[in-house]
Amino acid sequence: MDEKQQYLAKFWLVIGHIPEGRVATYGGIAEMAGYPRMARAVGRCLKTLPEGSSLPWHRVINAKGMISFPEGSPQYQTQRQRLEDEGIIFRNNKVPLAQHLWLGD
DNA sequence: ACCATGACAATCG
DNA sequence: ACGATTGCCATGG
C-alpha cells in the first residue's frame, strides 16, 4: 500500500471510532490520526468514499461546527438529518461543538 | 510539467 | 469580528 494511502486508512479508522451522538472536525481527525494539518487530506478521503461505505461520514464537520456542504444540497440535508437523529442539536445551522465535539477517548 | 480546485484550518490585516 | 492569505496534499485539465 502506498504511503499516502497509509494516513487515509488512519482517517477511516478514526472516523469509524467516532461515537454515536458525537461529531469530529477535519483537523481533529487528522490530528488524532497522527497527521496534524492534514485536514484537507481528510476531506479528500471522504470525498472519494463509496456510497455504500459503512463509515459514519455524517459525523464529520468543519471547524466552525457547520456542515461543509452548501445548505439546500441533498447531502447537507441528509447529513443534518442523520445527526439530529442521533441526538445532535443544530443551533442556527451549526452544531455547538462544546457539547458534541469528540476529541478522542 | 504547470496551474487550478477542493466535504479544511490557522493566521493576519 | 470578518474577509483575505497561506499552508497542505492529491487530482485533473
Side-chain angles (χ1 to χ4, degrees), chain A residues 7 10-11 14 28-36 38:
Chain A
Y7 55 73
K10 273 274 201 172
F11 295 155
V14 174
I29 290 169
E31 196 164 75
M32 283 183 251
Y35 297 89
M38 292 282 247

Side-chain angles (χ1 to χ4, degrees), chain A residues 48-99:
Chain A
T48 61
L49 272 182
E51 296 181 8
S53 173
S54 51
L55 210 68
W57 56 269
H58 51 276
R59 298 186 186 136
V60 183
I61 59 180
N62 62 26
K64 301 183 188 76
M66 325 162 72
I67 293 175
S68 300
F69 288 113
E71 190 182 342
S73 171
Q75 304 228 80
Y76 175 93
Q77 297 187 28
T78 301
Q79 182 170 9
R80 173 166 181 167
Q81 189 59 68
R82 285 183 87 166
L83 291 176
E84 290 185 322
D85 190 54
E86 292 186 356
I88 297 174
I89 61 173
F90 274 74
R91 207 159 135 152
N92 193 19
N93 287 330
K94 52 191 172 183
V95 176
L97 295 175
Q99 291 191 356

